Short mmCIF file of all heavy atoms in Angstrom, two decimals:
data_model
loop_
_atom_site.label_atom_id
_atom_site.label_comp_id
_atom_site.label_asym_id
_atom_site.label_seq_id
_atom_site.Cartn_x
_atom_site.Cartn_y
_atom_site.Cartn_z
N ALA A 22 -20.43 -15.61 -9.77
CA ALA A 22 -20.41 -16.73 -8.84
C ALA A 22 -19.57 -16.47 -7.59
O ALA A 22 -19.49 -17.32 -6.70
CB ALA A 22 -19.87 -17.99 -9.54
N ALA A 23 -18.94 -15.32 -7.49
CA ALA A 23 -18.11 -15.00 -6.33
C ALA A 23 -19.00 -14.69 -5.12
O ALA A 23 -20.03 -14.03 -5.25
CB ALA A 23 -17.20 -13.82 -6.64
N PRO A 24 -18.62 -15.14 -3.92
CA PRO A 24 -19.45 -14.90 -2.74
C PRO A 24 -19.30 -13.49 -2.20
O PRO A 24 -18.27 -12.84 -2.39
CB PRO A 24 -18.91 -15.93 -1.74
CG PRO A 24 -17.48 -16.11 -2.13
CD PRO A 24 -17.44 -15.98 -3.62
N GLU A 25 -20.32 -13.04 -1.53
CA GLU A 25 -20.28 -11.76 -0.81
C GLU A 25 -19.52 -11.97 0.49
O GLU A 25 -19.51 -13.05 1.06
CB GLU A 25 -21.71 -11.29 -0.53
CG GLU A 25 -21.80 -10.01 0.31
CD GLU A 25 -21.12 -8.85 -0.37
OE1 GLU A 25 -21.65 -8.35 -1.37
OE2 GLU A 25 -20.05 -8.44 0.12
N THR A 26 -18.81 -10.92 0.96
CA THR A 26 -18.06 -11.02 2.20
C THR A 26 -18.55 -10.06 3.27
O THR A 26 -17.97 -10.00 4.35
CB THR A 26 -16.56 -10.73 1.94
OG1 THR A 26 -16.42 -9.45 1.34
CG2 THR A 26 -15.96 -11.80 1.03
N ARG A 27 -19.59 -9.31 2.97
CA ARG A 27 -20.11 -8.33 3.93
C ARG A 27 -21.52 -8.74 4.35
O ARG A 27 -22.48 -8.47 3.65
CB ARG A 27 -20.13 -6.94 3.29
CG ARG A 27 -20.79 -5.85 4.14
CD ARG A 27 -20.01 -5.63 5.43
NE ARG A 27 -20.47 -4.48 6.17
CZ ARG A 27 -21.43 -4.52 7.10
NH1 ARG A 27 -22.05 -5.65 7.36
NH2 ARG A 27 -21.77 -3.42 7.76
N PRO A 28 -21.66 -9.44 5.51
CA PRO A 28 -22.98 -9.85 5.94
C PRO A 28 -23.81 -8.68 6.43
O PRO A 28 -23.30 -7.72 7.01
CB PRO A 28 -22.69 -10.83 7.07
CG PRO A 28 -21.38 -10.40 7.62
CD PRO A 28 -20.60 -9.87 6.45
N LYS A 29 -25.11 -8.77 6.24
CA LYS A 29 -26.00 -7.69 6.66
C LYS A 29 -26.08 -7.57 8.17
O LYS A 29 -26.44 -6.52 8.70
CB LYS A 29 -27.40 -7.93 6.10
CG LYS A 29 -27.45 -7.88 4.58
CD LYS A 29 -28.86 -8.14 4.07
CE LYS A 29 -28.90 -8.10 2.55
NZ LYS A 29 -30.25 -8.40 2.01
N SER A 30 -25.71 -8.64 8.87
CA SER A 30 -25.84 -8.61 10.33
C SER A 30 -24.71 -7.86 11.01
O SER A 30 -24.78 -7.57 12.19
CB SER A 30 -25.86 -10.05 10.87
OG SER A 30 -24.66 -10.71 10.53
N LEU A 31 -23.64 -7.54 10.25
CA LEU A 31 -22.50 -6.86 10.86
C LEU A 31 -22.82 -5.38 11.05
O LEU A 31 -23.13 -4.68 10.11
CB LEU A 31 -21.26 -6.99 9.98
CG LEU A 31 -19.93 -6.50 10.57
CD1 LEU A 31 -19.57 -7.30 11.81
CD2 LEU A 31 -18.83 -6.57 9.55
N SER A 32 -22.75 -4.91 12.27
CA SER A 32 -23.08 -3.52 12.55
C SER A 32 -22.00 -2.60 12.00
O SER A 32 -20.83 -2.94 11.97
CB SER A 32 -23.21 -3.29 14.06
OG SER A 32 -22.00 -3.59 14.71
N VAL A 33 -22.43 -1.42 11.59
CA VAL A 33 -21.50 -0.43 11.05
C VAL A 33 -21.00 0.44 12.18
O VAL A 33 -21.78 1.03 12.92
CB VAL A 33 -22.20 0.44 9.98
CG1 VAL A 33 -21.24 1.49 9.47
CG2 VAL A 33 -22.68 -0.45 8.84
N ALA A 34 -19.69 0.55 12.30
CA ALA A 34 -19.09 1.35 13.36
C ALA A 34 -19.19 2.82 13.05
O ALA A 34 -19.60 3.22 11.98
CB ALA A 34 -17.62 0.94 13.53
N SER A 35 -18.80 3.63 14.01
CA SER A 35 -18.83 5.07 13.79
C SER A 35 -17.94 5.43 12.63
O SER A 35 -16.90 4.85 12.41
CB SER A 35 -18.35 5.78 15.06
OG SER A 35 -17.03 5.42 15.35
N SER A 36 -18.37 6.44 11.85
CA SER A 36 -17.72 6.74 10.60
C SER A 36 -16.28 7.22 10.75
O SER A 36 -15.51 7.17 9.82
CB SER A 36 -18.53 7.81 9.83
OG SER A 36 -18.60 8.99 10.60
N GLY A 37 -15.92 7.68 11.94
CA GLY A 37 -14.58 8.24 12.08
C GLY A 37 -13.55 7.30 12.66
O GLY A 37 -12.43 7.69 12.90
N SER A 38 -13.91 6.03 12.95
CA SER A 38 -13.01 5.15 13.68
C SER A 38 -11.68 4.94 12.96
O SER A 38 -10.63 5.00 13.58
CB SER A 38 -13.69 3.80 13.95
OG SER A 38 -14.12 3.23 12.73
N GLY A 39 -11.70 4.68 11.66
CA GLY A 39 -10.47 4.49 10.94
C GLY A 39 -9.73 5.80 10.70
O GLY A 39 -8.51 5.85 10.75
N LEU A 40 -10.47 6.86 10.45
CA LEU A 40 -9.86 8.15 10.15
C LEU A 40 -9.19 8.77 11.37
O LEU A 40 -8.36 9.66 11.22
CB LEU A 40 -10.91 9.12 9.61
CG LEU A 40 -11.42 8.81 8.20
CD1 LEU A 40 -12.58 9.73 7.85
CD2 LEU A 40 -10.30 8.97 7.18
N ARG A 41 -9.54 8.33 12.56
CA ARG A 41 -8.93 8.91 13.75
C ARG A 41 -7.58 8.29 14.08
O ARG A 41 -6.85 8.80 14.95
CB ARG A 41 -9.87 8.74 14.95
CG ARG A 41 -11.05 9.71 14.94
CD ARG A 41 -11.67 9.80 16.32
NE ARG A 41 -12.28 8.53 16.71
CZ ARG A 41 -13.56 8.24 16.56
NH1 ARG A 41 -14.38 9.12 16.01
NH2 ARG A 41 -14.04 7.08 16.96
N ASP A 42 -7.22 7.21 13.41
CA ASP A 42 -5.95 6.56 13.70
C ASP A 42 -4.80 7.43 13.20
O ASP A 42 -4.73 7.79 12.03
CB ASP A 42 -5.91 5.19 12.99
CG ASP A 42 -4.78 4.32 13.51
OD1 ASP A 42 -3.63 4.81 13.56
OD2 ASP A 42 -5.05 3.15 13.85
N PRO A 43 -3.85 7.79 14.09
CA PRO A 43 -2.74 8.65 13.64
C PRO A 43 -1.88 8.01 12.57
O PRO A 43 -1.23 8.72 11.79
CB PRO A 43 -1.95 8.91 14.93
CG PRO A 43 -2.35 7.81 15.86
CD PRO A 43 -3.76 7.49 15.52
N ARG A 44 -1.83 6.68 12.51
CA ARG A 44 -1.04 6.04 11.46
C ARG A 44 -1.58 6.41 10.08
O ARG A 44 -0.81 6.53 9.12
CB ARG A 44 -1.05 4.52 11.64
CG ARG A 44 -0.21 4.01 12.78
CD ARG A 44 -0.09 2.49 12.70
NE ARG A 44 0.53 2.08 11.47
CZ ARG A 44 1.84 1.99 11.27
NH1 ARG A 44 2.68 2.32 12.24
NH2 ARG A 44 2.33 1.61 10.12
N PHE A 45 -2.89 6.55 9.97
CA PHE A 45 -3.45 6.91 8.67
C PHE A 45 -2.99 8.29 8.25
O PHE A 45 -2.61 8.52 7.10
CB PHE A 45 -4.97 6.84 8.73
CG PHE A 45 -5.64 7.15 7.41
CD1 PHE A 45 -5.67 6.21 6.40
CD2 PHE A 45 -6.22 8.39 7.18
CE1 PHE A 45 -6.26 6.49 5.18
CE2 PHE A 45 -6.83 8.69 5.97
CZ PHE A 45 -6.83 7.73 4.96
N TRP A 46 -2.99 9.22 9.19
CA TRP A 46 -2.66 10.62 8.85
C TRP A 46 -1.17 10.81 8.61
O TRP A 46 -0.78 11.63 7.78
CB TRP A 46 -3.14 11.54 9.97
CG TRP A 46 -4.63 11.66 9.97
CD1 TRP A 46 -5.51 11.03 10.78
CD2 TRP A 46 -5.40 12.44 9.06
NE1 TRP A 46 -6.80 11.37 10.44
CE2 TRP A 46 -6.77 12.23 9.39
CE3 TRP A 46 -5.09 13.29 8.00
CZ2 TRP A 46 -7.79 12.85 8.70
CZ3 TRP A 46 -6.11 13.91 7.32
CH2 TRP A 46 -7.45 13.69 7.66
N TRP A 47 -0.33 10.06 9.32
CA TRP A 47 1.10 10.29 9.20
C TRP A 47 1.81 9.32 8.25
O TRP A 47 2.86 9.65 7.70
CB TRP A 47 1.76 10.19 10.59
CG TRP A 47 1.46 11.36 11.46
CD1 TRP A 47 0.66 11.37 12.55
CD2 TRP A 47 1.94 12.69 11.30
NE1 TRP A 47 0.61 12.63 13.10
CE2 TRP A 47 1.38 13.47 12.35
CE3 TRP A 47 2.78 13.31 10.38
CZ2 TRP A 47 1.65 14.81 12.50
CZ3 TRP A 47 3.04 14.67 10.53
CH2 TRP A 47 2.48 15.40 11.58
N LEU A 48 1.23 8.13 8.04
CA LEU A 48 1.92 7.12 7.26
C LEU A 48 1.19 6.73 5.98
O LEU A 48 1.76 6.01 5.16
CB LEU A 48 2.14 5.86 8.11
CG LEU A 48 3.00 6.07 9.36
CD1 LEU A 48 3.16 4.76 10.11
CD2 LEU A 48 4.37 6.65 9.01
N VAL A 49 -0.04 7.19 5.79
CA VAL A 49 -0.77 6.92 4.55
C VAL A 49 -1.04 8.20 3.78
O VAL A 49 -0.77 8.29 2.57
CB VAL A 49 -2.08 6.17 4.82
CG1 VAL A 49 -2.88 5.98 3.53
CG2 VAL A 49 -1.81 4.81 5.45
N VAL A 50 -1.57 9.21 4.44
CA VAL A 50 -1.96 10.45 3.76
C VAL A 50 -0.80 11.11 3.02
O VAL A 50 -0.95 11.51 1.86
CB VAL A 50 -2.61 11.43 4.76
CG1 VAL A 50 -2.83 12.80 4.11
CG2 VAL A 50 -3.94 10.87 5.26
N PRO A 51 0.41 11.24 3.61
CA PRO A 51 1.51 11.87 2.84
C PRO A 51 1.95 11.05 1.63
O PRO A 51 2.44 11.62 0.65
CB PRO A 51 2.64 11.98 3.87
CG PRO A 51 2.00 11.82 5.20
CD PRO A 51 0.84 10.91 4.99
N VAL A 52 1.78 9.75 1.69
CA VAL A 52 2.25 8.87 0.62
C VAL A 52 1.23 8.77 -0.51
O VAL A 52 1.59 8.66 -1.68
CB VAL A 52 2.56 7.47 1.19
CG1 VAL A 52 2.97 6.50 0.09
CG2 VAL A 52 3.65 7.56 2.24
N ALA A 53 -0.06 8.81 -0.16
CA ALA A 53 -1.12 8.49 -1.12
C ALA A 53 -1.05 9.29 -2.43
O ALA A 53 -1.18 8.68 -3.51
CB ALA A 53 -2.49 8.69 -0.44
N PRO A 54 -0.87 10.61 -2.43
CA PRO A 54 -0.85 11.32 -3.72
C PRO A 54 0.25 10.87 -4.67
O PRO A 54 0.11 10.97 -5.89
CB PRO A 54 -0.66 12.78 -3.31
CG PRO A 54 -1.18 12.86 -1.92
CD PRO A 54 -0.80 11.55 -1.30
N TRP A 55 1.35 10.34 -4.12
CA TRP A 55 2.45 9.88 -4.97
C TRP A 55 2.11 8.59 -5.71
O TRP A 55 2.78 8.25 -6.70
CB TRP A 55 3.72 9.68 -4.14
CG TRP A 55 4.25 10.95 -3.58
CD1 TRP A 55 4.10 11.43 -2.31
CD2 TRP A 55 5.02 11.95 -4.27
NE1 TRP A 55 4.71 12.65 -2.17
CE2 TRP A 55 5.29 12.99 -3.35
CE3 TRP A 55 5.51 12.05 -5.57
CZ2 TRP A 55 6.02 14.12 -3.71
CZ3 TRP A 55 6.24 13.18 -5.92
CH2 TRP A 55 6.49 14.19 -5.00
N VAL A 56 1.10 7.87 -5.23
CA VAL A 56 0.73 6.59 -5.85
C VAL A 56 0.42 6.78 -7.33
O VAL A 56 0.92 6.06 -8.20
CB VAL A 56 -0.46 5.97 -5.11
CG1 VAL A 56 -1.03 4.78 -5.90
CG2 VAL A 56 -0.04 5.52 -3.71
N PHE A 57 -0.41 7.78 -7.65
CA PHE A 57 -0.79 8.01 -9.04
C PHE A 57 -0.07 9.18 -9.67
O PHE A 57 -0.11 9.34 -10.89
CB PHE A 57 -2.29 8.20 -9.16
CG PHE A 57 -3.05 6.90 -9.12
CD1 PHE A 57 -4.25 6.80 -8.43
CD2 PHE A 57 -2.57 5.77 -9.76
CE1 PHE A 57 -4.95 5.61 -8.38
CE2 PHE A 57 -3.26 4.58 -9.72
CZ PHE A 57 -4.46 4.49 -9.02
N LEU A 58 0.59 10.02 -8.86
CA LEU A 58 1.40 11.07 -9.47
C LEU A 58 2.51 10.45 -10.31
O LEU A 58 2.79 10.90 -11.43
CB LEU A 58 1.99 11.99 -8.40
CG LEU A 58 2.78 13.19 -8.92
CD1 LEU A 58 2.64 14.37 -7.96
CD2 LEU A 58 4.28 12.88 -9.11
#
């Protein structure tokens, strides 16, 4: 009974938009492996 939150009308952006953000590479990538280690 939970609603969907992703409408079909929303266009998909270029695949690299989030990955190009330097915050992801410097503030998420070094930390991520420690999450489950």
Side-chain angles (χ1 to χ4, degrees):
E25 176 60 71
T26 57
R27 174 64 172 90
K29 296 179 181 178
S30 61
L31 188 62
S32 61
V33 177
S35 61
S36 60
S38 56
L40 289 173
R41 284 198 294 264
D42 194 309
R44 286 190 61 85
F45 182 76
W46 288 101
W47 287 109
L48 299 180
V49 176
V50 172
V52 177
W55 294 100
V56 169
F57 281 140
L58 184 148

